[in-house]
Amino acid sequence: MKYVSTRGEAPVLGFSDVLMAGLAADGGLYVPEQWPTLSEAEIASFAYRPYAEIAGRVIAPFVGDDIDGDQLNEMIAAAAATFRHPATTPVTQIAPNHFLLELFHGPTLAFKDVAMQLLARLVDRKLAETGERATIVGATSGDTGAAAVEAFRGRPNADVVILFPEGRVSPVQRRQMTTVADENVHVLAVEGTFDDCQAIVKDMFAHEAFRRSVGLTGVNSINWARIVAQVGYYFAAATALGAPHREVSFTVPTGNFGDIFAGYVAKRMGLPIRRLVIATNVNDILVRALTGGDYRTGAVTPTSSPSMDIQVSSNFERLLFEAYGRDGAAVSGLMARLKQGGGFEIGDGPLERIRAEFSAASSDEAATRETIARIHRATDLVIDPHTAVGVGAAEAHLDDGVPMVTLSTAHPAKFPDAVEAAIGRAPLLPEALSDLGDRTERMTRIAADTAAVEAFVLDRSRAASSEAAR
Ligand SMILES: Cc1ncc(COP(=O)(O)O)c(C=O)c1O
Ligand SMILES: N[C@@H](CCOP(=O)(O)O)C(=O)O
């Protein structure tokens, strides 16, 4: 399998090179040259099989000959084994035609663990093969950072540098990153928003000499390997609910558009998905884009679902590439307008193509609180505010006879204040994290300035290399 950039200028690469490149050299995002498909019989055979087995069959065509099949399956199984639930990503019913896909049973209690646990193993394998050292960077609005720190902590050949917007993640999310003592973990509290953090990461990738000198690799969903590792659970959930013999719809709490793009990939592979519903909080650039065709950034508003406090939704570029008939020059032009003027109009044809498959809805803070309380009253389940945003959007798109699955993306204990405000009590953290509040924090405060972050990364990378040489 080969990969092309959404901006059409970067070299065509295989899976392992895309994994290590993170972002394409032309600033675009890698996508497969063609979409692999699975037959109806093959999809039908997934029903009730273990998650790791389904994920192995879904991921394999994207990896091609780059990794031996048995080795890949072992890595997928080892990643799934870090989850506390025997079904890895179980499905729960909350209404006659509405289900939750629980993705938060991993070590850091958010859906990011599904992909990050595999990504770390893939990167590790590649570094062992080449004997190189890498600097793993990531921007986080709370969950990617924690998952990356957990997955890469203590790895001998990699430093992990995570940028988070200071004061804009929950205290549990922050502590999951800042209380990890391993020397290869560096957490930067940036004076800015998640969008500022993500822009700094992209700028670092654009500086070729810097990128090479520190062996930069990215763990955000701009890295294709993150997306592909999130496709398996769409197949697992849909086949458990009757696919491919019946259609299923999904609602996805959305920020950077990575998770819902994984659903789109599942659909392109042959999974019969009726609709993909984009759910956002009041940072609703995607809802505005689908409704009016204008993709335009604004100020980021802090909410009780901080992981979705995002305006520049990176993976939307991958969907635009498809909607514009894989025209890299057109996508490049749109991205230049986004950078220079803060937005662009989506053409009529591409917009129509997007609307044919996606719907979108947003929830404000009061509605999110009300949804947490209502679901708790009706089912006794406690859901987190991101999941609640999803449930609210899903309820507006229920369709007779087509099961709706809302992705439950985080454990409620990551957001105790928001949950307590809705149901009157704060959920408890699982045993392994019960002393999180007592652990010592370690982080570096830094300006939202690419040069300052690059200087920090360079310094860490040199120190780690000379330590390794001793
Ligand atoms: C809990 C939670 N829900 C939803 C999202 C949105 O996912 P995506 O950025 O892939 O759209 C995030 C962050 O990415 C998250 O951490
Ligand atoms: N919501 C994310 C933001 C980064 O998204 P990613 O999926 O591109 O890594 C977070 O919690 O950090």
Side-chain angles (χ1 to χ4, degrees):
M1 171 66 77
K2 293 288 180 203
Y3 290 85
V4 295
S5 164
T6 49
R7 302 200 190 168
E9 300 283 339
V12 173
L13 299 179
F15 178 81
S16 295
D17 290 331
V18 163
L19 164 76
M20 299 311 285
L23 196 65
D26 58 4
L29 277 63
Y30 275 110
V31 288
E33 221 165 28
Q34 318 87 23
W35 296 108
T37 52
L38 300 175
S39 69
E40 193 174 320
E42 192 166 9
I43 296 172
S45 76
F46 291 172
Y48 318 122
R49 300 303 305 157
Y51 165 79
E53 182 185 320
I54 298 171
R57 306 244 304 266
V58 170
I59 295 170
F62 292 99
V63 174
D65 298 333
D66 263 28
I67 303 174
D68 166 74
D70 288 343
Q71 224 187 337
L72 179 65
N73 286 335
E74 272 167 33
M75 287 189 277
I76 293 170
T82 65
F83 278 58
R84 299 177 310 281
H85 197 289
T88 314
T89 58
V91 172
T92 317
Q93 189 163 13
I94 56 168
N97 202 22
H98 193 178
F99 301 81
L100 292 182
L101 170 54
E102 294 182 359
L103 300 171
F104 53 76
H105 295 284
T108 68
L109 316 180
F111 79 97
K112 309 288 177 169
D113 290 320
V114 178
M116 203 65 78
Q117 285 294 328
L118 176 60
L119 191 83
R121 287 168 170 81
L122 291 167
V123 169
D124 227 19
R125 174 195 158 278
K126 184 71 183 166
L127 293 176
E129 192 178 280
T130 59
E132 287 166 1
R133 222 193 135 71
T135 304
I136 314 290
V137 291
T140 189
S141 50
D143 292 323
T144 294
V149 163
E150 179 62 30
F152 284 96
R153 64 190 291 184
R155 306 241 170 202
N157 297 336
D159 282 300
V160 49
V161 180
I162 297 298
L163 286 70
F164 80 90
E166 183 160 24
R168 289 174 181 254
V169 303
S170 82
V172 172
Q173 289 178 311
R174 189 192 68 238
R175 288 186 152 272
Q176 283 184 308
M177 298 184 276
T178 59
T179 61
V180 172
D182 298 72
E183 282 183 7
N184 71 329
V185 170
H186 311 287
V187 179
L188 301 182
V190 176
E191 293 161 15
T193 64
F194 168 78
D195 290 338
D196 296 325
C197 297
Q198 185 163 244
I200 293 170
V201 167
K202 287 184 178 173
D203 282 350
M204 288 196 285
F205 275 102
H207 296 168
E208 187 59 24
F210 170 77
R211 172 182 179 150
R212 281 184 193 284
S213 69
V214 300
L216 207 62
T217 296
V219 287
N220 284 109
S221 55
I222 51 178
N223 188 325
W224 172 255
R226 272 279 313 282
I227 302 289
V228 79
Q230 292 173 193
V231 180
Y233 48 69
Y234 284 92
F235 278 92
T239 53
L241 294 173
H245 312 299
R246 68 187 310 166
E247 288 186 312
V248 176
S249 288
F250 286 93
T251 298
V252 188
T254 300
N256 224 5
F257 208 77
D259 208 8
I260 196 161
F261 192 78
Y264 173 81
V265 173
K267 186 169 182 180
R268 297 304 300 256
M269 292 180 79
L271 191 65
I273 296 178
R274 165 82 63 94
R275 289 212 77 71
L276 286 160
V277 181
I278 300 165
T280 74
N281 61 29
V282 293
N283 296 293
D284 60 353
I285 180 169
L286 290 165
V287 179
R288 285 184 282 113
L290 254 77
T291 315
D294 191 23
Y295 184 88
R296 193 155 302 279
T297 57
V300 179
T301 306
T303 71
S304 60
S305 47
S307 304
M308 305 196 305
D309 293 347
I310 295 176
Q311 286 282 337
V312 181
S313 197
S314 289
N315 286 284
F316 195 57
E317 178 169 346
R318 287 188 162 113
L319 184 63
L320 289 169
F321 184 63
E322 298 301 320
Y324 275 83
R326 301 203 139 210
D327 180 347
V331 172
S332 220
L334 297 178
M335 292 303 136
R337 265 180 268 157
L338 177 64
K339 194 158 185 155
Q340 285 148 21
F344 53 82
E345 290 283 336
I346 305 172
D348 290 345
L351 185 59
E352 211 172 294
R353 285 190 275 282
I354 291 172
R355 284 177 177 161
E357 303 193 78
F358 290 85
S359 304
S362 63
S363 285
D364 64 17
E365 292 295 273
T368 302
R369 218 171 22 251
E370 202 280 317
T371 304
I372 298 173
R374 184 164 40 77
I375 294 298
H376 184 241
R377 278 195 306 273
T379 67
D380 222 23
L381 282 177
V382 180
I383 58 172
D384 97 288
H386 303 76
T387 305
V389 167
V391 167
E395 286 172 342
H397 290 88
L398 293 177
D399 189 351
D400 272 356
V402 181
M404 171 62 82
V405 181
T406 296
L407 272 56
S408 181
T409 48
H411 191 293
K414 291 191 100 163
F415 309 96
D417 296 347
V419 174
E420 186 166 12
I423 65 167
R425 70 174 169 82
L428 292 179
L429 282 166
E431 180 66 29
L433 289 168
S434 56
D435 66 339
L436 189 68
D438 304 327
R439 299 180 193 168
T440 306
E441 290 195 80
R442 183 173 64 94
M443 69 186 121
T444 303
R445 293 198 165 77
I446 201 158
D449 173 45
T450 305
V453 176
E454 283 185 352
F456 178 92
V457 171
L458 212 48
D459 186 52
R460 290 296 86 215
S461 169
R462 285 193 183 129
S465 299
S466 54
E467 182 66 27
R470 262 196 243 143

